[in-house]
Amino acid sequence: LAVVIAPPGGGKSMALVKFASTALLQGKRVVYYTLELSEEVVGQRFDACIGNIMLKYVWDYPEYITEKLGELAQLGGGLKIKEFTEGGVTINTIKAHLKTLEIGGFVPDIIFIDYLGLMKPIGSYAEKRHALTDIAEGLRNIANNYQVPVWTAHQTNRAAIQEERINTAHIGESLGIIATVDLALGLGRPDEMKEEHRAMLGIIKNRLGQDGVYRLMIF
């Protein structure tokens, strides 16, 4: 289980789509759950990443994108985008949909859920931190059951909005998420970096390797 942590508008969803499109280009079967954006918007972002086109120009290159999608189909992978924006999505909702896909012959190699904080716990909790931990544990259970990576995202607290390097101090009540996941990435993009089309990606936690490593990214 892996999570991208960033402030509101920090690029969490776009990072997930980039990771997912990279998996597609490697011939993987990808399932992408969107709990905030429509399937159409997410699809446009995939088109931009797969075609290496700026998002605002996607509609200007329909033939080129169709050609790239044709090449993608030959790699043997596939993409399923499922929108659950009505709220109330639980681990059981995701499991039921995955079962439906499995019956239809589509078993994913990797799963993306955008994003954890918009999901609902199955049980009732007095404190939000316990609910978030329960959801994270449920997602890790899905990863274990399917033996595939599960990627999700989560928002930082307000203190991180203008921070370049995101760390555990910016997570607040979500520390249970960090304790549960195997990999946590922090994505920082303060105003001055946004203007320069830059971002800082750091490894907050890595159960199987090095953490504390930061790399500059160009968006």
Side-chain angles (χ1 to χ4, degrees):
L1 177 62
V3 61
V4 177
I5 299 174
K12 298 183 298 297
S13 297
M14 202 65 221
L16 289 183
V17 170
K18 180 61 177 178
F19 297 163
S21 62
T22 300
L24 269 176
L25 291 169
Q26 294 176 349
K28 304 299 183 182
R29 290 163 296 181
V30 178
V31 177
Y32 194 101
Y33 293 104
T34 172
L35 312 186
E36 186 175 40
L37 302 173
S38 70
E39 292 178 4
E40 290 76 12
V41 169
V42 173
Q44 290 166 22
R45 292 183 174 193
F46 270 96
D47 288 344
C49 289
I50 293 168
N52 197 25
I53 304 169
M54 289 185 69
L55 186 58
K56 62 182 178 180
Y57 297 132
V58 163
W59 288 103
D60 296 334
Y61 297 93
E63 294 180 359
Y64 172 72
I65 291 173
T66 300
E67 179 183 339
K68 296 297 291 186
L69 293 176
E71 294 174 2
L72 201 60
Q74 296 178 11
L75 296 175
L79 172 64
K80 301 289 186 182
I81 303 173
K82 178 60 178 177
E83 175 185 339
F84 285 118
T85 55
E86 72 279 4
V89 176
T90 68
I91 292 296
N92 287 342
T93 310
I94 302 297
K95 285 182 176 179
H97 186 260
L98 287 171
K99 190 65 177 178
T100 300
L101 291 178
E102 188 176 352
I103 292 171
F106 191 95
V107 180
D109 296 309
I110 187 167
I111 300 167
F112 292 82
I113 300 170
D114 185 16
Y115 58 94
L116 183 153
L118 295 176
M119 295 183 67
K120 303 292 182 184
I122 295 174
S124 179
Y125 296 92
E127 297 186 35
K128 186 176 181 180
R129 60 192 177 97
H130 294 147
L132 292 171
T133 302
D134 179 73
I135 296 167
E137 290 174 351
L139 293 179
R140 195 160 191 264
N141 178 259
I142 289 175
N144 287 332
N145 287 344
Y146 279 85
Q147 288 293 290
V148 299
V150 172
W151 279 87
T152 187
H154 191 61
Q155 281 189 182
T156 63
N157 54 31
R158 291 182 179 180
I161 291 177
Q162 294 301 325
E163 290 294 327
E164 182 176 299
R165 298 194 174 200
I166 306 300
N167 56 51
T168 53
H170 301 125
I171 300 168
E173 63 186 1
S174 307
L175 281 175
I177 295 175
I178 297 300
T180 304
V181 302
D182 300 290
L183 177 68
L185 304 182
L187 186 60
R189 205 158 62 109
D191 289 343
E192 62 271 18
M193 294 186 76
K194 286 184 180 180
E195 293 173 0
E196 298 170 355
H197 304 289
R198 297 186 299 136
M200 186 71 77
L201 186 71
I203 303 175
I204 299 175
K205 175 188 176 180
N206 186 356
R207 197 184 298 275
L208 301 176
Q210 186 179 4
D211 60 13
V213 179
Y214 287 84
R215 293 288 183 267
L216 193 66
M217 302 174 65
I218 305 298
F219 272 33

